[in-house]
Amino acid sequence: ALLDLSGVHQVNGTWMGSTTLPCTYVPSEGFTQQTLSWSMERDYSTSTIFRRDDSGDHILLSRFRDRVSVPKNSPGDASLLIENLEIPDSGHYTCQVTWRSKNNNLITKEVTTMVKVVKVAATKPVIRAGEPGLAVPAGASASLTCVAGGSPPISYRWFRGTPGGRAVPLGSGAELAWRSLRPSDSGTYYCEAQGR
């Protein structure tokens, strides 16, 4: 098991989120990493995305520029981080590392990971109350925060009233805040979360 790359078979990424494709090895004495490349196969064509060699790091596909990176100073870690995932990023990614031994032999290993980028609908939101909670003295400040999961961006809207009944829209944004509460602020509030 000298100089073997380990990775995973499949990675699921969330649209507009980020994901890491693992590619690691145990550095061995007498072997130095010469080149490291990541390529992607989609629709029967393969293109190199990233290459690291003596001259530095190169991102070779413009649509991945500013979105992919490989850890800099951690020997043995060649994992690829992809940010702001797009649906066309789905495909097969191959990590290929070449080492040079002391007697100038080259050894090349590779590992392939399948990436699936999926859109995730916004989850049912949860409302979190700030200090001092839901029972608040008049004149105090308070806040409610709406939190939902899913593919970003998620937009939030606040209402006073009951869902499906009479409701007054209060604004957008995850947080609803009061500087100085009045007794008339007592009541029922709800939020809506919506994904793209």
Side-chain angles (χ1 to χ4, degrees):
L2 179 70
L3 286 179
D4 221 356
L5 292 180
S6 52
V8 291
H9 181 61
Q10 184 174 330
V11 166
N12 288 341
T14 303
W15 182 56
M16 302 303 288
S18 62
T19 191
T20 297
L21 314 190
C23 178
T24 55
Y25 64 90
V26 179
S28 307
E29 229 176 293
F31 290 90
T32 48
Q33 180 180 304
Q34 288 293 108
T35 58
L36 149 68
S37 71
W38 275 95
S39 56
M40 177 205 191
E41 184 199 344
R42 183 184 166 87
D43 305 330
Y44 306 106
S45 72
T46 302
S47 352
T48 302
I49 301 170
F50 177 94
R51 182 179 166 86
R52 174 176 289 170
D53 54 28
D54 298 340
S55 65
D57 288 2
H58 310 280
I59 293 169
L60 305 166
L61 268 190
S62 58
R63 70 182 189 87
F64 283 104
R65 202 149 287 147
D66 302 325
R67 295 203 296 128
V68 297
S69 56
V70 173
K72 271 269 194 299
N73 299 313
S74 43
D77 190 355
S79 305
L80 184 74
L81 169 69
I82 310 176
E83 298 176 90
N84 296 327
L85 285 163
E86 298 288 349
I87 298 298
D89 293 343
S90 298
H92 289 85
Y93 289 74
T94 299
C95 170
Q96 186 185 75
V97 179
T98 300
W99 299 270
R100 184 181 291 279
S101 68
K102 276 189 178 141
N103 53 8
N104 279 336
N105 287 341
L106 292 179
I107 297 177
T108 300
K109 293 281 172 76
E110 54 183 44
V111 62
T112 299
T113 300
M114 186 174 126
V115 174
K116 276 178 95 166
V117 180
V118 290
K119 292 188 181 185
V120 179
T123 59
K124 183 177 167 68
V126 182
I127 294 177
R128 298 199 177 126
E131 294 294 323
L134 295 172
V136 185
S141 63
S143 68
L144 297 173
T145 306
C146 191
V147 186
S151 296
I154 295 174
S155 58
Y156 298 97
R157 289 191 306 168
W158 281 97
F159 299 88
R160 181 173 183 172
T162 50
R166 287 183 56 188
V168 180
L170 297 174
S172 58
E175 190 183 52
L176 185 63
W178 295 265
R179 283 219 181 98
S180 175
L181 281 161
R182 298 194 298 270
S184 59
D185 290 322
S186 295
T188 304
Y189 295 82
Y190 72 93
C191 75
E192 278 180 357
Q194 186 176 16
R196 190 188 285 183

